[in-house]
Amino acid sequence: MTDASNTPPVSGVATTSTDGSKKSDKRSPGSSAASLTTVLTLIAICLLATAVRLFSVIKYESVIHEFDPYFNYRVTRYLTEEGFTKTWNFFDSFTWYPLGRIVGGTMYPGLIFTAGLIWKVLQALRSPIHIQEICVFMGPLFSGLCALATFFFMREVRGDGAGLASAAFIAIIPSYISRSVAGSYDLESIAIAALVTVFFLYVKTLNTASLRWATALFFGYLYMVASWGGYSFIVNLLPIHCLASIVLGRVSTGLYVAYAPFAILGALAALNIPVIGFNAVLMSEHFASFAVFGILHAAFAIKWIKETLPPRTYEAAKRVVWTVGTAVAGVILVLVTGYVTASPTFGWTGRSLSLLDPTYASKYIPIIASVSEHQPPAWSSYYNDLHLVTLLAPAGLVAAFTPLTDASLFLVLYAVTAVYFSGVMVRLMLVLAPAAACLAGRGATRQRDGSIKVFDDFREAYSWLSHNVPADAKVASWWDYGYQTTAMANRTVIVDNNTWNNTHIATVGRAMALPEKASSEVFRSLDVEYVFVVFGAFIGRVLGVGRGYPSDDINKFLWMVRIGGGVFPDIKERDYLNRGQYRVDSTAPKAMLDSTMYRLSYYRFAETGPLFGMPYGYDRVRQQTIGLPDFKLKHYEEVFTSEHWMVRVYRVLPEPNREVRLPNPNRVKAQRGAKVKPRRPSGDPTSMPSKTRQ
Amino acid sequence: MSRLLLLALLLGICAAAPASDVETLEITSADRKLRALGYRVQIRTSIAVVNTGKAPIASSSSGQRETPLKGALVVLPEAPHNVTCLRFQLNAPLPPKGTLDFEVVGVYVGTLEPWPRQAPADAPTLALYRDSAALVSPYPVRQQTFKMELGRIESVEAPGAEVTTKGQGAEVRAPGATPPFRQLPFAAHFEVVGLFVKGRSARRRVDVSPVGASQFDEEYEVEHRGAALKGEWSRLDYISRTKKYGPGAVSGLHVTGLPANAANLYFRDGIGNISSSAVQRTETGVRVLLQPRYPLFGGWTTDFKFGCVTEVAFDEAELKVILPPGATLLNVELPMEVERRLEVTHDFLSLVGRTVVVLRRPMYVPELNVPLRVTFKPGGTILEKSTAWLVTGAALVAGASIVRRIASS
């Protein structure tokens, strides 16, 4: 019994193991325990995905939010009262008076019927829950399912570890949360889960080449088509993947089993949803699917010919196939072109066209352009909507190529197209969310060679402080980091997040704002031995981090000046501003360049070398070249800087550093009150003697 | 701090050895070979002795080679105050004119001291080794050599002895025969090769679960014992010229020898996961490179939790093996002297305490790493009982709520 394998660690700690080694994990003897952990973790993630969205209920009450959900709710209530058939044929005279609306034929029924079905099942189980409660909780419920689908999808792409990480990311990604909180009873709340499920089923079919999974894919797609107009994304993405596979020579049985039934049966499925109807074969956005269906067969035909015929005959046969194929394709192309050009939008629906051409909607369909969520997103919204995932997704995109499998090729294509569409419309950030979460999950899981980059500078520095600084040393920093320093570095701090004593904070703010000498006196008076600053400009040099870490101390510095100046009149905010502007470049005022914060932040920063054609000392956070690139510290000494320079720790020297400037042996110290003949600089007899110099 | 430890060798006959054997025993040749292994020093001493007396030392026959001798530290009254002797018990008495060859391998920790004691970050790790150029022994030594493999040598000084240095090695020759307890001061100053790192403590817990899997949990405290860092430490210099800046800095420790089925490895400290480590899986095992949160420079310390770190000597090592609930300990086999203790621990859900085998050893060096074998008899019934209670309880609650729901509707 003693020689058995290891069991997992006690808690769900982040492991350093080689995730993604799916195959070896599965065979190892410890896998039963490991898979139990996976299942438990997955359950926890699903619960998290659900629970985090219930906050709106806690904060407000169990109520439906926003506008569209109220229409869906009304139809759902109609369903519970009148039944399936009546709802399918529902004509609503209460709206668009005097026109009315054929609701059954103009809505995506997936959401409403799902809620109705759940209500029916609960009724059968003698649970008299009101339909409104079900509608309110649809979003959280399907978010849990979405996390589950994401896990299975990424497990197919990469393995358990990546699956769990992706599921965790999708559970908490802000853009998806905003669409699926309790009470947000909208199509998207279930459609994203359906979307990811379809992707999972497609990839699963690809990997297994099993007709059972292909059948499941059909039903998954049917549900997706019934749920959301976004199905057109799938109906174009899958052909793109299929085409890419053909071009890259990845034609396989799996691809055929996954794609061919989907192309035909999927179109039939779409035909049966009233709101789509014959658009499924008549509109241009569906044509790609049929074209690739033909190309796939041609590719298989060529492959089959190659395998059956001897090489010479094969060349001849290939030529015949190409000629015939090109001729047939040409005829079809002419017909399609003729059909398409007959329509003013070339056969595309307005919505699709506005996606392909970002300027289209603003030119022709103002009703689409007028909706704020149809505007192109601002850059910042990528950070707001995707949060942490923005940092990890690029790494995942790179990692997806090592190795490039059919499944990871699909992930790459999905991500790239989703990024494009999200750039056209804010709303489609939602389509990007699962892709980004999957990539981030892929990026966050460690590779065999451990090449993933994790920014852990704060804990690195706190750990350093806790081990290598005397236990009774006082550490000064801006109050934001006070709690962390006491908790993680276990050292005494001057100010912390409690902020109960404004004067004390002002003292630290003043010390940061004063020049080196004066500030070191302030710190020494507080018994401070170590000072650290948080610096975000260096991390901007690391690939994939964008503009660095903007909430660093230089960006908070003006607050230190204000708070310090509020108590100590020798600090004046205007001294640190250049005509009201906050600058760190050569136009920055002297007080700014001399301030301890500036010095401690930029100490030896310029020596790190130029960055992508930028000059030495270019700060990507401020997007300025620092004004004082070369200086030495006299009253402080660098004792530690974290790996990406985010935390820089300095020691307050008990006496000034004499190495900075060698003493002048000829210098005679003037006595106070003694008459010293002012010396004029040689060669400039007109210049005035300088007055007292420090 | 660590004082230079001088060990003299004493050949004892038995517990009540007559004082005369000191005069009748003579060391004909002593060859010492020293290897500096980072923070440790390994000395291999080959000794040949002869009984010059008339009476046999104890009874007859000579000692056999390749047979381990039992040794113990003793303080002899005639020895100088800084000398501790190691007394070996011969397997068989040594007759008159009888000779005996044997070899003593010792690993010493703390005998290397950083010199200078403070240095800037870009200075190489220099250490000072002090010993006696002559073998310190209660017996006269006729002839002896002392060879050492150190590292790049700064200087070797041995007044009264002949010193030759060659590359990274040196040889010290004491002139002629030396009387008992003769000490010839000698010092070597050299650049350390390998990790100059000491572990303060290592604590390993092996939790053997009832289903037969075992979980390892290990806590380490590690310290760089090189010269304490003087002056500024610059990250810029560290990243721009890593090789030259901090030549003795330790950025990672290698862990080898984990079994191929080792899973769910983790590497963390008190404030969470440490994300800088690399795991390599091969057919035969798992190799892990543990990178602490920051590189270790002279005098810096860190701590972490993880698997078996080789290459490092520890002041104190502790191993706890926690048996499954209800198991009975049968036997602990470990061919090494350690403090042994039995404890009982209680964890939640287990109705009875679990037996814990605690093995503790001060001054642990990797050379002492030998397989440990703990035999026990699992006690399955107790486990089943506690699980059964839990399941019954859960079933009762579930049943009650269903009944209540149906009854109320």
Side-chain angles (χ1 to χ4, degrees):
Chain A
M1 282 189 89
T2 48
D3 60 347
S5 67
N6 291 351
T7 55
V10 199
S11 62
V13 291
T15 65
T16 59
S17 68
T18 60
D19 281 318
S21 53
K22 173 177 83 175
K23 279 161 190 137
S24 65
D25 277 1
K26 274 189 179 167
R27 282 171 204 156
S28 74
S31 71
S32 63
S35 64
L36 180 68
T37 324
T38 310
V39 169
L40 289 177
T41 315
L42 193 59
I43 291 171
I45 290 172
C46 292
L47 286 178
L48 168 74
T50 309
V52 77
R53 288 162 170 83
L54 300 182
F55 189 68
S56 60
V57 176
I58 298 167
K59 196 172 177 189
Y60 307 106
E61 57 183 301
S62 179
V63 68
I64 288 171
H65 304 287
E66 292 177 63
F67 311 110
D68 284 10
Y70 271 98
F71 164 74
N72 296 327
Y73 169 56
R74 198 166 135 256
V75 179
T76 316
R77 216 173 52 201
Y78 186 85
L79 173 71
T80 60
E81 285 158 8
E82 303 291 333
F84 174 81
T85 324
K86 279 203 169 176
T87 313
W88 194 256
N89 300 317
F90 182 24
F91 178 83
D92 187 1
S93 56
F94 276 55
T95 178
W96 291 100
Y97 182 82
L99 304 171
R101 175 179 172 184
I102 308 161
V103 172
T106 57
M107 68 166 187
Y108 286 97
L111 175 73
I112 288 151
F113 287 129
T114 309
L117 185 69
I118 293 173
W119 180 79
K120 201 92 181 166
V121 170
L122 288 176
Q123 289 288 313
L125 290 176
R126 295 165 176 258
S127 255
I129 292 178
H130 192 266
I131 186 67
Q132 183 183 325
E133 306 302 328
I134 293 165
C135 294
V136 166
F137 291 104
M138 280 292 273
L141 175 69
F142 272 78
S143 304
L145 296 177
C146 183
L148 207 61
T150 310
F151 168 76
F152 284 116
F153 174 52
M154 274 313 279
R155 192 167 80 147
E156 283 306 309
V157 172
R158 183 62 199 183
D160 279 356
L164 284 178
S166 307
F169 283 127
I170 194 73
I172 54 161
I173 199 162
S175 75
Y176 183 36
I177 289 184
S178 68
R179 289 290 179 161
S180 57
V181 289
S184 178
Y185 180 56
D186 207 350
L187 303 183
E188 288 94 333
S189 63
I190 66 161
I192 295 302
L195 183 82
V196 180
T197 309
V198 169
F199 290 159
F200 157 65
L201 293 170
Y202 178 69
V203 170
K204 185 78 186 178
T205 319
L206 262 182
N207 285 349
T208 56
S210 141
L211 273 175
R212 279 181 204 166
W213 284 110
T215 316
L217 171 65
F218 163 71
F219 283 109
Y221 181 67
L222 175 64
Y223 187 74
M224 177 68 205
V225 165
S227 301
W228 195 35
Y231 79 91
S232 59
F233 181 64
I234 298 179
V235 88
N236 284 296
L237 178 63
L238 265 51
I240 289 173
H241 173 257
C242 184
L243 196 63
S245 297
I246 294 168
V247 171
L248 296 174
R250 296 175 160 272
V251 177
S252 65
T253 323
L255 184 68
Y256 189 83
V257 174
Y259 185 76
F262 157 80
I264 301 305
L265 295 177
L268 286 173
L271 278 168
N272 279 294
I273 307 299
V275 65
I276 302 167
F278 276 97
N279 280 354
V281 286
L282 292 179
M283 299 309 274
S284 289
E285 56 253 52
H286 303 85
F287 287 173
S289 141
F290 302 126
V292 172
F293 182 73
I295 295 171
L296 182 65
H297 280 88
F300 266 99
I302 291 173
K303 202 179 165 195
W304 179 72
I305 291 167
K306 189 179 181 181
E307 279 163 11
T308 44
L309 294 184
R312 184 177 299 220
T313 342
Y314 164 68
E315 284 303 322
K318 192 177 159 189
R319 228 170 290 140
V320 171
V321 169
W322 270 116
T323 322
V324 174
T326 317
V328 172
V331 171
I332 293 174
L333 194 69
V334 168
L335 289 176
V336 169
T337 317
Y339 166 75
V340 159
T341 43
S343 121
T345 59
F346 302 109
W348 296 87
T349 56
R351 272 170 194 270
S352 308
L353 210 57
S354 63
L355 277 181
L356 295 173
D357 174 8
T359 60
Y360 180 82
S362 55
K363 276 187 257 171
Y364 303 106
I365 322 178
I367 189 74
I368 290 182
S370 73
V371 181
S372 69
E373 64 180 23
H374 292 163
Q375 300 295 331
W379 270 108
S380 58
S381 61
Y382 280 90
Y383 293 89
N384 294 335
D385 288 1
L386 304 177
H387 208 254
L388 173 74
V389 166
T390 336
L391 298 179
L392 290 168
L397 191 62
V398 175
F401 284 93
T402 54
L404 186 68
T405 59
D406 288 343
S408 68
L409 173 68
F410 180 73
L411 177 61
V412 169
L413 291 170
Y414 169 33
V416 170
T417 46
V419 167
Y420 173 78
F421 288 132
S422 71
V424 176
M425 257 189 210
V426 178
R427 188 181 173 189
L428 291 173
M429 198 69 92
L430 196 58
V431 175
L432 176 62
C438 290
L439 285 181
R442 177 69 187 84
T445 46
R446 186 164 278 277
Q447 285 175 323
R448 281 176 182 232
D449 58 355
S451 60
I452 184 67
K453 208 75 202 147
V454 176
F455 301 104
D456 207 355
D457 283 47
F458 278 104
R459 290 197 298 188
E460 181 188 350
Y462 290 135
S463 167
W464 185 87
L465 280 171
S466 79
H467 285 105
N468 302 304
V469 154
D472 57 350
K474 316 286 181 288
V475 180
S477 68
W478 192 231
W479 62 263
D480 297 24
Y481 320 108
Y483 276 175
Q484 290 188 337
T485 311
T486 43
M488 287 199 253
N490 198 19
R491 290 296 177 275
T492 312
V493 295
I494 304 303
V495 288
D496 73 15
N497 310 46
N498 194 359
T499 66
W500 66 274
N501 187 327
N502 188 45
T503 314
H504 219 49
I505 292 178
T507 310
V508 174
R510 172 170 174 260
M512 294 294 192
L514 286 173
E516 256 194 79
K517 184 170 186 239
S519 80
S520 69
E521 281 160 9
V522 173
F523 281 134
R524 273 197 293 273
S525 75
L526 288 168
D527 286 345
V528 168
E529 213 178 324
Y530 293 89
V531 178
F532 74 81
V533 295
V534 171
F535 176 61
F538 184 83
I539 201 171
R541 305 169 55 91
V542 183
L543 207 63
V545 183
R547 280 178 53 188
Y549 179 70
S551 33
D552 67 352
D553 278 351
I554 289 283
N555 277 2
K556 291 174 184 169
F557 182 50
L558 213 51
W559 287 107
M560 304 183 200
V561 171
R562 278 177 199 154
I563 294 170
V567 176
F568 301 99
D570 59 336
I571 304 292
K572 296 178 191 69
E573 188 182 334
R574 63 168 186 278
D575 292 347
Y576 294 84
L577 296 173
N578 175 14
R579 273 168 290 180
Q581 280 197 322
Y582 184 64
R583 311 287 302 175
V584 295
D585 57 8
S586 52
T587 64
K590 187 170 181 304
M592 178 72 199
L593 296 179
D594 281 346
S595 67
T596 302
M597 177 51 70
Y598 189 94
R599 298 287 174 111
L600 298 189
S601 290
Y602 289 118
Y603 179 58
R604 298 190 78 184
F605 174 63
E607 290 175 51
T608 54
L611 175 78
F612 306 131
M614 296 295 180
Y616 280 85
Y618 183 73
D619 178 343
R620 287 190 81 174
V621 176
R622 263 63 63 177
Q623 299 194 317
Q624 296 165 26
T625 305
I626 59 170
L628 190 65
D630 188 23
F631 56 87
K632 289 209 155 48
L633 295 177
K634 200 174 171 188
H635 299 271
Y636 294 89
E637 177 181 80
E638 181 183 3
V639 286
F640 187 75
T641 294
S642 62
E643 190 179 354
H644 307 99
W645 293 46
M646 279 168 73
V647 183
R648 310 197 68 184
V649 188
Y650 293 85
R651 195 160 73 91
V652 185
L653 290 174
E655 49 198 47
N657 203 340
R658 289 177 199 281
E659 286 170 25
V660 172
R661 203 191 301 156
L662 289 172
N664 181 0
N666 300 324
R667 189 175 161 199
V668 181
K669 199 170 184 184
Q671 297 275 314
R672 186 178 288 270
K675 279 192 177 176
V676 179
K677 191 183 174 188
R679 285 179 63 186
R680 286 155 199 256
S682 56
D684 187 12
T686 56
S687 72
M688 289 299 290
S690 57
K691 287 182 183 171
T692 49
R693 290 179 71 175
Q694 281 196 331
Chain B
M1 289 289 287
S2 61
R3 277 193 56 236
L4 184 66
L5 181 71
L6 282 177
L7 280 181
L9 301 164
L10 168 71
L11 279 178
I13 308 307
C14 58
S20 63
D21 71 304
V22 172
E23 285 132 38
T24 60
L25 210 62
E26 203 175 312
I27 296 176
T28 50
S29 79
D31 294 314
R32 280 189 289 167
K33 276 184 191 146
L34 178 148
R35 278 178 70 202
L37 307 163
Y39 186 62
R40 314 190 300 283
V41 168
Q42 190 196 67
I43 303 180
R44 192 177 281 270
T45 315
S46 307
I47 293 176
V49 291
V50 64
N51 182 2
T52 55
K54 299 247 163 58
I57 294 178
S59 57
S60 61
S61 117
S62 64
Q64 293 159 331
R65 289 189 72 147
E66 311 291 326
T67 311
L69 303 172
K70 280 194 176 156
L73 289 173
V74 288
V75 178
L76 294 179
E78 63 268 34
H81 69 280
N82 65 344
V83 174
T84 312
C85 294
L86 192 59
R87 183 198 290 265
F88 292 101
Q89 189 85 30
L90 289 188
N91 290 331
L94 191 63
K97 303 256 189 280
T99 57
L100 175 66
D101 293 344
F102 65 97
E103 197 174 58
V104 181
V105 182
V107 179
Y108 301 90
V109 177
T111 52
L112 293 180
E113 55 181 313
W115 196 267
R117 290 181 194 278
Q118 286 195 324
D122 54 357
T125 309
L126 297 177
L128 189 66
Y129 177 74
R130 282 191 283 206
D131 199 347
S132 168
L135 181 70
V136 181
S137 156
Y139 314 110
V141 183
R142 281 188 205 162
Q143 190 192 340
Q144 57 179 298
T145 57
F146 188 12
K147 289 179 185 165
M148 51 206 105
E149 282 174 50
L150 300 166
R152 191 180 57 77
I153 291 173
E154 293 273 315
S155 69
V156 178
E157 278 176 35
E162 197 184 314
V163 179
T164 46
T165 57
K166 188 181 170 192
Q168 306 206 327
E171 189 174 347
V172 180
R173 214 176 266 278
T178 50
F181 293 119
R182 178 65 184 276
Q183 295 183 40
L184 285 175
F186 137 78
H189 192 211
F190 62 97
E191 185 178 343
V192 174
V193 182
L195 306 177
F196 204 61
V197 164
K198 183 188 82 166
R200 285 182 181 168
S201 70
R203 257 176 270 283
R204 167 189 273 196
R205 266 176 76 243
V206 183
D207 189 332
V208 186
S209 83
V211 290
S214 40
Q215 176 186 325
F216 291 78
D217 191 75
E218 290 154 335
E219 289 173 31
Y220 292 93
E221 260 187 79
V222 179
E223 182 183 5
H224 192 297
R225 291 288 295 143
L229 193 63
K230 187 171 76 179
E232 186 179 82
W233 183 83
S234 167
R235 173 69 72 172
L236 175 68
D237 288 330
Y238 183 68
I239 55 178
S240 58
R241 43 190 194 106
T242 313
K243 286 264 167 61
K244 282 187 181 166
Y245 191 80
V250 177
S251 61
L253 301 167
H254 282 282
V255 179
T256 49
L258 292 184
N261 58 7
N264 298 309
L265 310 175
Y266 64 93
F267 177 41
R268 48 182 296 148
D269 64 8
I271 54 175
N273 185 42
I274 305 171
S275 33
S276 49
S277 63
V279 180
Q280 241 188 327
R281 280 178 189 273
T282 60
E283 296 285 308
T284 51
V286 181
R287 277 176 59 86
V288 185
L289 171 65
L290 298 177
Q291 291 179 295
R293 291 191 187 274
Y294 44 86
L296 288 178
F297 275 67
W300 290 12
T301 64
T302 188
D303 67 0
F304 55 86
K305 292 185 182 183
F306 189 70
C308 37
V309 178
T310 53
E311 295 182 281
V312 178
F314 286 92
D315 286 352
E316 182 191 310
E318 189 182 81
L319 169 65
K320 284 187 180 182
V321 182
I322 304 172
L323 302 184
T328 333
L329 180 70
L330 296 180
N331 189 20
V332 179
E333 269 178 58
L334 182 67
M336 173 169 62
E337 281 183 29
V338 288
E339 275 179 45
R340 295 177 191 209
R341 202 168 75 233
L342 283 185
E343 278 178 3
V344 174
T345 178
H346 291 267
D347 49 28
F348 81 117
L349 290 188
S350 73
L351 297 179
V352 291
R354 303 175 61 178
T355 310
V356 184
V357 183
V358 184
L359 306 170
R360 206 183 144 270
R361 189 187 162 97
M363 305 298 267
Y364 173 84
V365 288
E367 281 82 353
L368 291 172
N369 192 3
V370 283
L372 163 75
R373 197 185 169 92
V374 178
T375 325
F376 62 90
K377 200 177 101 194
T381 49
I382 288 163
L383 169 83
E384 281 159 22
K385 243 183 242 168
S386 68
T387 317
W389 274 116
L390 274 175
V391 172
T392 317
L396 281 175
V397 172
S401 56
I402 290 171
V403 167
R404 194 165 167 272
R405 167 56 52 97
I406 291 170
S408 62
S409 61

